[in-house]
C-alpha cells in the first residue's frame, strides 16, 4: 500500500496577512515546476495560516497544487460563540484540511478528547479533512504511559466516525516534548508509536482502512531529520511548525522527503 506523503505547515499564531500571502506565493513558485507536487505524485503539500490569512492564502494558491488548512474550528455551524469560526465558514472559503486537537489547544484552551471528536464529526460532515493530533508529554513518556495516552486520545477522536469517513482523516503524532524544543523523536521512537496508532485504527475499523490512513509526525521536524523520519514504514508525512515559517526551510523538508 502506498500512501501519499502529506507535508503540512502549521503556521500557528505567526505572520500578518501580507506576510502569509508572500510565504504562500514563494512556496507555490518554488514547487511549480517540480513534478513532485503534481496531483499524481508522491507528495501533498498543505499550509495552515491563521484564520485571518486563509482567504488571501487561498487566493494566492489558486491554480497551484498547494492546499490550505485551518488550525481549529467550532463544532456548531453558527451561533453565539464569540471568537469562534465554524466548519461551514471554512468550507465556504475553500479550506481543505483542519487541524484538530493540537497539544497547544489541549494545554492552553481546554481542548478535550470530546471536543476534538465533536469538531471531527462536524468537519467530516462539511467535507473538510481533519488532521487529528495526538501525543504524550515528557512526563507521560517517562512514566511509561505513552501508548495509554495516545490510545485514549485516538479512541476519543474517532468515536462515531465511520470507516468511510476515516479515510478522509489524517492522524498527526506530535510528542509534546518534541514541539518547538529542537528535540526530535528518533525515527525509531516515531515508528513505534506510528505502528501502534495503525494497529489501533485496525482495531477500530479494518486493516484496509488503517493501511490507507496517513499518519504524520510532528515535533521539530526539519530538513536534517525529515528524510530519516519519513523513511519509516508508518511515517507518512510531517506536521511542521517552526521550519514551515520560511520558504527555504519548508522546501528543504519537501526536498528531503
Ligand atoms: P515544531 O515543528 O515547531 O516543533 O512544531 C510542531 C507542531 O506543533 C506542528 O503542529
Amino acid at each position: 500500500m502506498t500512501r501519499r506523503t502529506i507535508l503540512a505547515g502549521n503556521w500557528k499564531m505567526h505572520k500578518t496577512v501580507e506576510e502569509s500571502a508572500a510565504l504562500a506565493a514563494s512556496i507555490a513558485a518554488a514547487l511549480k515546476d517540480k513534478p513532485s507536487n503534481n496531483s499524481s505524485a508522491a507528495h501533498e503539500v498543505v499550509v495552515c495560516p491563521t484564520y485571518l490569512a486563509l482567504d488571501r492564502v487561498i487566493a494566492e494558491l489558486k491554480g497551484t497544487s498547494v492546499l490550505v488548512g485551518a488550525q481549529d474550528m467550532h463544532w456548531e455551524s453558527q451561533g453565539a460563540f464569540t471568537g469562534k469560526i465554524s466548519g461551514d465558514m471554512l468550507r465556504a472559503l475553500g479550506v481543505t484540511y483542519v487541524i484538530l486537537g493540537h497539544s497547544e489547544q489541549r494545554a492552553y484552551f481546554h481542548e478535550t478528547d470530546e471536543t476534538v471528536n465533536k469538531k471531527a464529526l462536524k468537519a467530516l460532515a462539511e467535507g473538510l479533512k481533519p488532521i487529528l493530533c495526538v501525543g504524550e508529554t515528557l512526563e507521560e513518556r517517562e512514566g511509561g504511559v505513552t501508548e495509554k495516552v495516545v490510545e485514549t486520545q485516538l479512541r476519543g477522536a474517532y468515536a462515531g466516525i465511520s470507516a468511510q469517513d476515516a479515510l478522509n482523516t489524517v492522524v498527526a503524532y506530535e510528542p509534546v516534548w518534541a514541539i518547538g524544543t529542537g528535540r526530535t523523536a528518533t525515527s525509531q521512537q516515531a515508528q513505534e508509536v506510528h505502528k501502534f496508532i495503525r494497529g489501533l485504527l485496525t482495531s477500530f475499523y479494518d486493516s484496509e482502512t488503517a493501511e490507507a490512513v496517513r499518519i504524520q509526525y510532528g515535533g521539530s521536524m526539519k530538513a536534517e531529520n525529515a528524510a530519516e523520519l519519513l523513511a519509516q514504514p508508518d511515517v507518512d508525512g510531517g506536521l511542521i511548525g517552526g521550519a514551515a515559517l520560511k520558504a527555504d526551510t519548508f522546501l528543504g523538508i519537501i526536498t528531503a522527503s
Side-chain angles (χ1 to χ4, degrees):
M1 168 102 218
T2 48
R3 290 175 291 269
R4 194 158 174 239
T5 303
I6 174 167
L7 297 166
N10 175 8
W11 296 356
K12 306 192 180 182
M13 196 175 74
H14 290 284
K15 301 199 180 286
T16 62
V17 174
E18 290 304 322
E19 289 165 350
S20 300
L23 177 55
S26 42
I27 292 167
L31 292 176
K32 197 163 150 258
D33 300 320
K34 289 212 170 139
S36 63
N37 208 37
N38 288 341
S39 55
S40 58
H43 303 113
E44 188 171 2
V45 176
V46 183
V47 295
C48 305
T50 66
Y51 289 136
L52 211 55
L54 283 170
D55 198 23
R56 268 294 295 283
V57 167
I58 287 168
E60 205 66 57
L61 295 174
K62 206 168 176 186
T64 77
S65 55
V66 182
L67 298 170
V68 178
Q71 298 175 19
D72 189 26
M73 58 173 261
H74 196 276
W75 57 84
E76 294 289 348
S77 293
Q78 57 186 34
F81 301 104
T82 301
K84 298 299 172 204
I85 298 284
S86 74
D88 310 50
M89 295 168 187
L90 298 176
R91 178 185 36 80
L93 211 55
V95 167
T96 304
Y97 285 96
V98 59
I99 298 171
L100 297 176
H102 193 280
S103 63
E104 287 149 17
Q105 287 286 341
R106 293 177 190 264
Y108 309 135
F109 304 109
H110 312 291
E111 185 87 274
T112 64
D113 296 335
E114 194 191 347
T115 57
V116 173
N117 181 240
K118 285 162 87 165
K119 292 173 180 182
L121 288 165
K122 175 64 174 167
L124 289 162
E126 291 301 325
L128 296 165
K129 297 179 179 183
I131 296 177
L132 299 164
C133 304
V134 298
E136 81 288 0
T137 62
L138 185 58
E139 199 183 3
E140 289 163 344
R141 174 160 283 263
E142 288 175 346
V145 292
T146 296
E147 291 194 349
K148 187 162 166 275
V149 168
V150 168
E151 175 166 356
T152 303
Q153 292 172 339
L154 204 73
R155 217 173 260 292
Y158 279 90
I161 293 179
S162 68
Q164 197 183 339
D165 277 345
L167 295 172
N168 285 320
T169 66
V170 174
V171 178
Y173 169 56
E174 299 205 305
V176 178
W177 48 271
I179 296 177
T181 58
R183 182 179 167 190
T184 319
T186 64
S187 52
Q188 190 194 338
Q189 284 173 324
Q191 170 57 24
E192 268 169 23
V193 181
H194 282 230
K195 190 173 174 207
F196 175 70
I197 290 170
R198 203 172 308 283
L200 286 171
L201 291 171
T202 307
S203 73
F204 300 168
Y205 302 107
D206 51 75
S207 61
E208 201 184 327
T209 306
E211 285 298 317
V213 173
R214 292 170 298 173
I215 308 173
Q216 295 174 303
Y217 167 80
S220 300
M221 188 183 259
K222 43 188 183 279
E224 294 75 33
N225 56 34
E228 194 183 329
L229 285 160
L230 293 166
Q232 301 305 308
D234 290 294
V235 178
D236 310 314
L239 186 55
I240 301 130
L245 293 175
K246 284 193 191 145
D248 59 347
T249 48
F250 188 53
L251 292 161
I253 293 174
I254 296 169
T255 306
S257 75

